[in-house]
Amino acid sequence: MLKIENISKRLGKEQILKDVSFEVSPGEVFGFLGPNGAGKTTTIRIITGLLEQDAGKVTVNGFDVVEERSKALTQIGAIVENPAFYPYLTGKQNLVHAKNLIPGLGQVDYDALARLVGLEGKLSKKVGEYSLGMKQRLGIARALLHNPRVLILDEPTNGLDPSGIAELREYLRQMAREQDIAILISSHMLSEMEQISDRYAIIDQGVIKSVESVRNETGAKIALRVNAEAMTEVLDALRVANYPSEVLENKIIITAPESECPAIARLVVPIADLHELTVKRLTLEEQFLQVTKKEGDSHAFAHTK
């Protein structure tokens, strides 16, 4: 649905994006993560046609954002941070105003739209009386007026309380699944992205460092406990087999997909007594830190909190 292929962008002398590639499929919630200044906003500006890339290609539902700009942009709905509305108008009046600004847009079923975003029975209230969570939902309704196939949300949980975040999370996952919409969420709130996203991309210094499934097995630590006298031989065997490993609290810790456990066990058993083999999957925050940690900098994540 949304396909970014090798896009690069330079602003002045600074290379902002370098060969950025990822895809977002229909029905998927895709997290776009990175520290401040990593290139998230520039990428979103390119996707939405506000900025043209120097190289590469962006297509939305098959339409090239540069070559078929108008067709591509009709496929996209977007909100950036806290959406702004006229507080003295009702929710419906705000939507009608937005609808009138979209050339050629036909009739809109506002009641159906309200049901879709969880504002049923509330569009008659003035927006000045809305909670922040309701304003976020109204912003999504506005982004969906023209029935886009791709929804882009930049920091949608900013300012929401925990209950508002939980409600928005469940609503977005349900909408992606039931409406078959591709949702791209740019955020620095890793714990939230871990709960809402199906997959994610981590960008740092303009480079995509990782594209993973939140629930896959690639981010894992495999812990082995073997007899002490065989420790060195096991470490040597793991090194030869290209399994990165270290010793921590008398255990050998290996960074490898969980699916490698049988192969690792077969490697170790002939040369040592295998007393324990356990797997700990890395949290999204741990994976983020792992791929964005800079040489001599142990605070790569500090800017994102």
Side-chain angles (χ1 to χ4, degrees), residues 69-301:
R69 177 184 169 86
S70 60
K71 291 181 179 179
L73 294 185
T74 62
Q75 307 294 312
I76 297 175
I79 62 171
V80 178
E81 294 189 350
N82 298 328
F85 296 100
Y86 296 106
Y88 53 87
L89 297 180
T90 66
K92 182 174 181 179
Q93 288 171 332
N94 271 278
L95 292 179
V96 170
H97 176 73
K99 181 258 184 187
N100 291 336
L101 297 176
I102 303 174
L105 184 61
Q107 293 297 314
V108 173
D109 187 338
Y110 295 102
D111 291 334
L113 193 57
R115 287 194 297 272
L116 178 61
V117 300
L119 288 177
E120 188 173 9
K122 298 176 181 177
L123 289 186
S124 59
K125 293 180 61 175
K126 290 185 178 181
V127 170
E129 302 172 12
Y130 278 22
S131 67
L132 183 55
M134 291 171 66
K135 290 178 183 176
Q136 289 285 21
R137 289 171 181 259
L138 188 63
I140 294 171
R142 184 171 63 186
L144 295 174
L145 278 170
H146 58 296
N147 194 31
R149 304 312 305 150
V150 174
L151 180 62
I152 298 174
L153 306 176
D154 187 12
E155 301 288 357
T157 59
N158 269 3
L160 294 181
D161 60 24
S163 64
I165 292 173
E167 288 178 6
L168 185 64
R169 176 203 313 147
E170 293 307 313
Y171 155 66
L172 290 174
R173 288 191 60 81
Q174 180 179 352
M175 185 177 68
R177 182 174 61 252
E178 294 183 357
Q179 302 297 316
D180 209 29
I181 295 174
I183 300 180
L184 173 67
I185 301 180
S186 170
S187 181
H188 65 271
M189 295 183 66
L190 301 185
S191 60
E192 277 309 310
M193 288 300 97
E194 188 164 28
Q195 295 184 67
I196 192 174
S197 301
D198 299 298
R199 291 190 304 132
Y200 64 89
I202 295 175
I203 186 170
D204 190 31
Q205 297 182 320
V207 177
I208 296 293
K209 300 291 188 177
S210 177
V211 178
E212 302 285 353
S213 167
V214 169
R215 294 158 187 83
N216 77 0
E217 58 179 28
T218 58
K221 295 286 188 181
I222 300 172
L224 302 179
R225 188 166 59 85
V226 300
N227 51 311
E229 57 271 23
M231 183 80 77
T232 300
E233 190 176 356
V234 170
L235 287 169
D236 288 342
L238 291 169
R239 178 180 53 78
V240 171
N242 292 317
Y243 288 115
S245 56
E246 59 182 336
V247 177
L248 183 64
E249 297 179 352
N250 297 319
K251 292 183 180 180
I252 298 174
I253 310 298
I254 305 164
T255 302
E258 186 176 343
S259 58
E260 291 297 307
C261 285
I264 290 171
R266 288 194 297 270
L267 177 69
V268 172
V269 167
I271 57 178
D273 296 328
L274 182 57
H275 299 302
E276 180 183 346
L277 189 155
T278 56
V279 177
K280 177 184 180 296
R281 294 186 181 182
L282 300 183
T283 66
L284 181 53
E285 181 170 330
E286 289 170 329
Q287 294 177 60
F288 183 96
L289 288 169
Q290 185 171 283
V291 302
T292 61
K293 187 174 181 179
K294 302 173 181 64
E295 189 68 30
D297 178 13
S298 60
H299 305 286
F301 180 55

